Amino acid sequence: MTAEIVPLARASGATQASIDAMLSLTAPGLNAVNAVILDRMQSEIPLIPRLAGHLISGGGKRLRPMLTLAGAELVGYQGTRHHKLAAAVEFIHTATLLHDDVVDGSEMRRGKAAANIIFGNPATVLVGDFLFSRAFELMTEDGSLRVLKILSSASAIIAEGEVAQLTAQRKVATSEQRYLDIIGSKTAALFAAASRIAAVVAECSEAEEQALDDYGRNLGIAFQLVDDALDYSSDAAEMGKDRGDDFREGKMTLPVILAYARGDAEERKFWEAAILGHRTSDEDLAHAVSLVERHDCVTATRDRARHFAQMAADALSIFPDGKAREAMVEAAHFAVARGH
């Protein structure tokens, strides 16, 4: 993929990348969403709220439900239906994280031990299933078949993306386009759906629905690109997970795809062994980071992210200027510039 990188517009008055404007915009709604989350994660089985609360209360940004709330502000929606739907979005996201940690054998999530390490794999998978079920309860309570279709389709696409990533794991020949297709499914699909449903509940035009979908989808790709770059440029304290997780799991993320493509024969031989799982020591990780740095692959990955973030910002151009649009544009800038 090649694209001209255009400097991302900043929200007026902003001095550095921040999600503060989005937090301020959505704070009242987010309180209502959190109340729904707290209520619907309860169960007569004590382990369920304990395990779910371990992750849900673990310091996540709530970015996906914020997209639903911000989108509603953008289109002037005055109702409350989006509160339950934003909670459903967060439950879907949390369920996928629980399942992902089991699949990946992760030991850390959001700066602390992952749920599967504390509670075990079976309980973690089953509580993930519980949260998926709660999400679908909230969708059906809303009563909109269109909303149900959007969120259920996104859930299926996320699962397909995770399977696609699993089949691409330890395959050094994975192309950049294949990688973008995977993150477009496993990450961007829920960003897009979370944004789009705000226009649906507000009974907006198809053009406005599509604009919010485009915003969320491109934002999601940018967000995942930066996540993957950070795995080769940050330590565990910054990321809230073990540095080098992607490396040791043999994931062909964009920094690795670029480093492999730009490397000489000896470097490619290293990558081939590493991705197959034969070079996974701390020294090997340090060497991998040095190769990524040598070929400026983190910068290149952030440049790709900036391109998608700009497309996210551009998608909002059909809406009137104002606090909501500025906050959402600033969130796109934050997705690229963040360090964790």
Side-chain angles (χ1 to χ4, degrees):
M1 181 197 74
T2 58
E4 181 181 355
I5 305 301
V6 181
L8 186 64
R10 300 294 305 280
S12 62
T15 58
Q16 61 181 1
S18 171
I19 202 169
D20 290 349
M22 181 78 97
L23 287 168
S24 177
L25 177 73
T26 61
L30 203 55
N31 287 336
V33 172
N34 285 335
V36 175
I37 289 172
L38 181 62
D39 176 58
R40 296 306 179 96
M41 64 184 267
Q42 300 307 314
S43 168
E44 293 181 358
I45 311 300
L47 178 60
I48 291 176
R50 278 181 59 214
L51 195 155
H54 176 78
L55 183 55
I56 290 174
S57 303
K61 298 179 182 69
R62 294 278 201 276
L63 182 55
R64 292 153 189 83
M66 276 198 284
L67 294 178
T68 303
L69 299 175
E73 290 286 338
L74 182 69
V75 299
Y77 177 63
Q78 299 296 315
T80 59
R81 286 171 56 194
H82 60 314
H83 294 157
K84 282 187 175 182
L85 295 176
V89 166
E90 184 67 5
F91 279 151
I92 292 170
H93 174 55
T94 304
T96 61
L97 292 183
L98 290 173
H99 289 170
D100 287 353
D101 285 346
V102 171
V103 170
D104 295 339
S106 300
E107 295 184 357
M108 288 185 67
R109 171 69 68 178
R110 294 174 178 168
K112 60 184 181 180
N116 51 297
I117 298 301
I118 298 173
F119 301 99
N121 287 343
T124 301
V125 170
L126 293 171
V127 172
D129 293 344
F130 172 85
L131 295 179
F132 266 126
S133 300
R134 284 293 196 229
F136 279 87
E137 281 183 355
L138 290 166
M139 292 180 225
T140 56
E141 287 173 16
D142 178 73
S144 167
L145 286 177
R146 182 149 176 74
V147 166
L148 182 59
K149 179 175 176 57
I150 290 168
L151 288 176
S152 60
S153 294
S155 299
I157 291 168
I158 292 165
E160 289 176 337
E162 294 293 351
V163 174
Q165 179 172 265
L166 188 64
T167 59
Q169 201 163 326
R170 304 208 179 281
K171 293 184 179 177
V172 76
T174 302
S175 68
E176 182 174 341
Q177 187 55 56
R178 174 68 169 154
Y179 162 81
L180 289 172
D181 290 342
I182 289 170
I183 67 172
S185 296
K186 80 181 190 73
T187 300
L190 189 56
F191 276 73
S195 302
R196 185 170 199 134
I197 58 175
V200 174
V201 298
E203 299 181 352
C204 294
S205 68
E206 176 62 30
E208 290 170 315
E209 271 191 44
Q210 189 60 55
L212 279 172
D213 187 291
D214 291 343
Y215 169 79
R217 192 173 308 279
N218 286 299
L219 178 63
I221 293 173
F223 194 88
Q224 187 62 56
L225 282 164
V226 172
D227 254 12
D228 293 344
L230 288 171
D231 200 58
Y232 289 90
S233 61
S234 294
D235 61 23
E238 291 172 318
M239 281 292 288
K241 67 175 186 178
D242 291 330
R243 186 190 192 194
D245 275 356
D246 291 346
F247 172 75
R248 293 188 173 92
E249 291 162 13
K251 291 181 179 177
M252 287 299 293
T253 58
L254 189 57
V256 176
I257 292 170
L258 295 175
Y260 182 75
R262 296 173 179 183
D264 59 25
E266 183 178 350
E267 292 171 359
R268 289 189 176 196
K269 186 177 180 180
F270 165 80
W271 285 116
E272 288 161 3
I275 294 303
L276 285 173
H278 303 318
R279 302 285 299 270
T280 59
S281 69
D282 288 345
E283 292 76 13
D284 291 326
L285 173 59
H287 184 55
V289 170
S290 73
L291 295 180
V292 168
E293 291 175 347
R294 179 182 302 172
H295 296 291
D296 215 16
C297 300
V298 167
T299 298
T301 299
R302 283 188 180 271
D303 284 345
R304 303 291 203 281
R306 189 172 294 108
H307 165 72
F308 284 102
Q310 182 66 56
M311 289 199 294
D314 289 347
L316 301 180
S317 62
I318 72 168
F319 298 104
D321 194 14
K323 288 184 178 179
R325 196 176 85 174
E326 288 181 358
M328 294 173 76
V329 169
E330 181 67 7
H333 184 90
F334 167 80
V336 175
R338 67 197 173 91
H340 57 86

